Amino acid sequence: QVQLVQSGAEVKKPGSWVRVSCRASGGTFNTYAFNWVRQAPGQGLEWMGRIIPTLDIANYAPDFQGRVMITADKSTNTAYMELSSLSSEDTAVYYCAGGGSANGAPFDYWGQGALVTVSS
Amino acid sequence: QSALTQPRSVSGSPGQSVTISCTGTRNDIGWYNSVSWYQQHPGKAPKVMIYDVTKRPSGVPDRFSGSKSGYTASLTISGLQAEDEADYYCCSYAGSYTMIFGGGTKLTVL
């Protein structure tokens, strides 16, 4: 059973950047895709992008293109999401979600979420 | 890319059936059979309940079923139980290696 453990809560200033990590255990890291999904307070889910570690290829949602970077470290089974030019609208819980690498594959495994608060 | 359209809320009594719709476009639901549904209880991470329109992951009760017609996918929950009260989100492949979620539906079990 795959488990995803994310880094802790962060408080950031507007204009800065944040990096959230997601460490996988209990499965074969390279066979999965790792997606990032965020949820603003009281709002719905929003897909940000994904990476397939074995291919080292990342894809991003149009709304985040140019502001987000998703990477993976195969040596530590860890995926990372970096979001820059933060504003108060980026205050949200950020989830990593693992699943198959095929296009459209469901998100089978979820991390516990990491709350990022952007405030001056 | 606009979010898929879901009703804000639905409700039903224990034992009844409810259906949640999810409407997209020809570029997502209308073209691909990669629709999934997620259940989210307050303060918890989402859980996949249906994938590839109609498939159920191991451990998900067969009270949950999915379907699709044209640009609209649907999740039906039969024999409603109190623990089904949650938020439900649809999600579809949208081409160009991207995914898109619906706005979410709050299910209330009366």
Side-chain angles (χ1 to χ4, degrees), chain A residues 59-83:
Chain A
N59 308 108
Y60 303 111
D63 286 352
F64 294 97
Q65 193 79 34
R67 203 162 68 91
V68 67
M69 185 165 64
I70 298 173
T71 57
D73 182 342
K74 293 188 285 288
S75 69
T76 60
N77 289 357
T78 302
Y80 298 92
M81 185 282 299
E82 287 186 11
L83 186 63

Side-chain angles (χ1 to χ4, degrees), chain A residues 13-99:
Chain A
K13 299 286 189 189
S16 66
W17 62 278
V18 67
R19 187 172 82 160
V20 182
S21 68
C22 172
R23 181 172 53 84
S25 62
T28 306
F29 184 73
N30 289 346
T31 64
Y32 294 109
F34 290 88
N35 298 263
W36 288 89
V37 177
R38 78 176 185 180
Q39 186 170 36
Q43 302 300 310
L45 302 174
E46 186 176 21
W47 185 81
M48 300 177 69
R50 72 159 188 182
I51 189 165
I52 302 174
T54 189
L55 300 178
D56 205 19
I57 291 176
N59 308 108
Y60 303 111
D63 286 352
F64 294 97
Q65 193 79 34
R67 203 162 68 91
V68 67
M69 185 165 64
I70 298 173
T71 57
D73 182 342
K74 293 188 285 288
S75 69
T76 60
N77 289 357
T78 302
Y80 298 92
M81 185 282 299
E82 287 186 11
L83 186 63
S84 60
S85 302
L86 293 172
S87 72
S88 58
E89 295 182 348
D90 295 313
T91 293
V93 174
Y94 289 77
Y95 291 103
C96 67

Side-chain angles (χ1 to χ4, degrees), chain B residues 2 7 15 21 36 38 44-45 54-55 57 65-67 77 80 88-89 91-92 96 105 108-109:
Chain B
S2 298
S21 62
S36 49
Y38 298 85
K44 301 294 188 182
T54 62
K55 298 177 182 176
S65 63
S67 63
I77 309 170
L80 266 181
Y88 290 85
Y89 295 90
C91 183
S92 174
S96 301
T105 298
T108 301
V109 180

